[in-house]
Amino acid sequence: MDNIAGSKSSLGWLVNISVVLLVALWVFPTFGLLVSSFRTADQISGSGWWAALFPSEQTERYRVADPDENRIERGDLFVVEGNLFEKGSAIGEIQSWGTSSRAVDAYQAGDVADLGDGETFTLDAAGNYVWSGNDEQISGRGQRAFVTAVSPPEFTTDNYVNIMTSGDSNDNMAKAFLNTLTVTIPATIIPIVVAAFAAYALAWMDFPGRAILIACVVGLLVVPLQLALIPLLKLHVGIGIGKGYLGVWLAHTGFGLPLAIYLLRNYMVGLPRDIIENAKVDGATDFQIFTKIILPLSFPALASFAIFQFLWTWNDLLVAKVFLIDATGQTTVMTDQIVNLLGTRGGNWEILATAAFVSIAVPLAVFFAMQKYLVRGLLAGSVK
């Protein structure tokens, strides 16, 4: 009875749980990167991104104003008044405070602390303090105050402003962002155009050696990328291309063509033969059939490869290092810029998180905009 048509497999729940786990493993780190990109360095070092959306309790040390310059004489006493947060933003409403690191929560907001021999210190919830005592007590360094407060969630766009407008080429992501677009868009369009013509020829045109060409395309799918880097670079230098955008476009085109041709041919072969034959009977040329029939029907496969090629070229570092990036740094792409930030700003997690999210934002947008065509393109030709 378990195999009756319509009954659910016992592995159904396992498959569903596995899918949920895979989605969670991808979503949570990405969302954490987004949240961290809007936090300050102090917030990141103090708590994880999952706590950023909720009020948090923080304990910080402050010191009151210099008594020698700010004290006021009132009768027999000297008094220093002010606000702990005058030179910086408040961390929130003060819940408790203390004058010793061993008892940071000894007093509540508004309490008066007796420091001995008539010296007192009081602090309210807003950070206003009054420190009073005799001439000897109210002198030297300002009184310490350990403040515990509940801070509301706080976010800032300064991280994005810093990395996108920085005058330092080692930190500026705007130039690297434009360089990456300059590499990625042509390196995605060129192989699609070339592969579409080749795939149509291999799918619907009869000519000698077609089977050998198909076998060569399949064989090129397993050629390691690293194996061709140095010979191809020598070829570029020999013909005068050298390092530059043209060289990296041609390299990405060459490395992407085997998969593009294979994927598009499999899809085109699965298209109804009657449509092509009727078009030929009506007098349509191969170019007309290709542009007016095949291309519109093959859009899912074209979009599927476009997603892959865009993601590969956008996230590429190796090919860019070999064929594009030079000593001037003017052609640095985002992946190389992030590597540089790891070396120069390795301790600034807020900067690294922001740079990383800027790097993945465009691929995410492209993927979600075209993902409905992805499965249709990948399954092309798998069933009849």
Side-chain angles (χ1 to χ4, degrees):
M1 296 297 291
D2 293 338
N3 296 325
I4 294 178
S7 62
K8 292 185 178 181
S9 171
S10 58
L11 295 178
W13 284 107
L14 180 60
V15 173
N16 293 336
I17 293 174
S18 300
V19 171
V20 171
L21 290 177
L22 288 175
V23 171
L25 287 174
W26 182 84
V27 170
F28 285 127
T30 304
F31 183 72
L33 198 63
L34 172 62
V35 172
S36 298
S37 67
F38 289 99
R39 306 182 75 198
T40 64
D42 293 337
Q43 292 172 334
I44 291 177
S45 61
S47 62
W49 65 265
W50 52 87
L53 303 178
F54 307 97
S56 60
E57 186 177 87
Q58 300 181 48
T59 300
E60 295 187 6
R61 189 188 71 172
Y62 292 88
R63 193 176 291 274
V64 305
D66 186 355
D68 295 330
E69 298 179 0
N70 297 275
R71 69 181 186 175
I72 301 173
E73 186 175 359
R74 292 181 181 173
D76 297 334
L77 297 177
F78 289 89
V79 178
V80 176
E81 296 179 330
N83 190 289
L84 290 179
F85 309 129
E86 286 179 349
K87 296 184 179 179
S89 61
I91 63 173
E93 184 176 341
I94 296 176
Q95 305 294 313
S96 61
W97 58 278
T99 58
S100 171
S101 59
R102 297 182 180 180
V104 296
D105 57 352
Y107 306 99
Q108 300 300 310
D111 290 349
V112 178
D114 185 358
L115 304 182
D117 297 331
E119 182 183 3
T120 61
F121 185 83
T122 182
L123 181 66
D124 66 13
N128 299 308
Y129 62 84
V130 178
W131 178 31
S132 64
N134 58 37
D135 180 41
E136 182 179 353
Q137 293 168 338
I138 311 302
S139 62
R141 301 184 67 186
Q143 174 63 43
R144 292 188 307 172
F146 296 87
V147 174
T148 301
V150 176
S151 301
E154 182 181 359
F155 300 98
T156 178
T157 58
D158 291 344
N159 298 332
Y160 287 92
V161 174
N162 290 338
I163 68 169
M164 299 303 288
T165 62
S166 174
D168 187 351
S169 60
N170 292 326
D171 292 346
N172 194 322
M173 293 291 291
K175 178 65 175 177
F177 184 87
L178 294 176
N179 291 341
T180 306
L181 283 178
T182 304
V183 171
T184 303
I185 294 176
T188 302
I189 295 175
I190 295 173
I192 290 178
V193 173
V194 176
F197 282 99
Y200 173 75
L202 294 175
W204 294 107
M205 297 177 67
D206 292 326
F207 56 89
R210 186 178 69 166
I212 297 176
L213 287 178
I214 295 175
C216 291
V217 170
V218 175
L220 289 173
L221 288 172
V222 298
V223 175
L225 168 67
Q226 297 81 357
L227 189 65
L229 290 178
I230 301 304
L232 188 58
L233 180 61
K234 290 183 177 180
L235 175 63
H236 284 188
V237 174
I239 62 179
I241 295 177
K243 284 193 172 187
Y245 288 114
L246 178 59
V248 78
W249 293 339
L250 294 178
H252 280 301
T253 298
F255 296 140
L257 273 178
L259 177 62
I261 295 173
Y262 179 77
L263 186 66
L264 294 178
R265 177 193 172 276
N266 283 353
Y267 192 93
M268 292 179 183
V269 166
L271 296 176
R273 179 178 292 272
D274 293 342
I275 298 177
I276 287 88
E277 292 178 348
N278 290 338
K280 289 183 178 180
V281 170
D282 291 338
T285 63
D286 283 317
F287 185 77
Q288 291 174 325
I289 294 174
F290 173 73
T291 56
K292 297 182 178 180
I293 298 176
I294 299 299
L295 282 184
L297 293 177
S298 302
F299 185 77
L302 295 171
S304 176
F305 174 75
I307 292 174
F308 280 116
Q309 184 70 1
F310 188 92
L311 294 179
W312 287 332
T313 54
W314 183 274
N315 295 317
D316 170 71
L317 177 61
L318 179 60
V319 175
K321 279 283 192 182
V322 175
F323 296 97
L324 178 64
I325 299 173
D326 54 25
T328 65
Q330 296 300 313
T331 54
T332 294
V333 294
M334 295 191 69
T335 49
D336 187 63
Q337 190 76 352
I338 292 175
V339 172
N340 293 336
L341 287 175
L342 286 172
T344 60
R345 304 291 291 272
N348 300 111
W349 291 107
E350 75 285 0
I351 297 298
L352 296 177
T354 304
F357 190 79
V358 170
S359 177
I360 69 173
V362 173
L364 283 176
V366 170
F367 177 80
F368 285 117
M370 305 180 70
Q371 57 86 25
K372 64 180 180 180
Y373 302 107
L374 180 60
V375 175
R376 291 168 58 184
L378 290 178
L379 295 180
S382 60
V383 294
K384 296 291 185 181

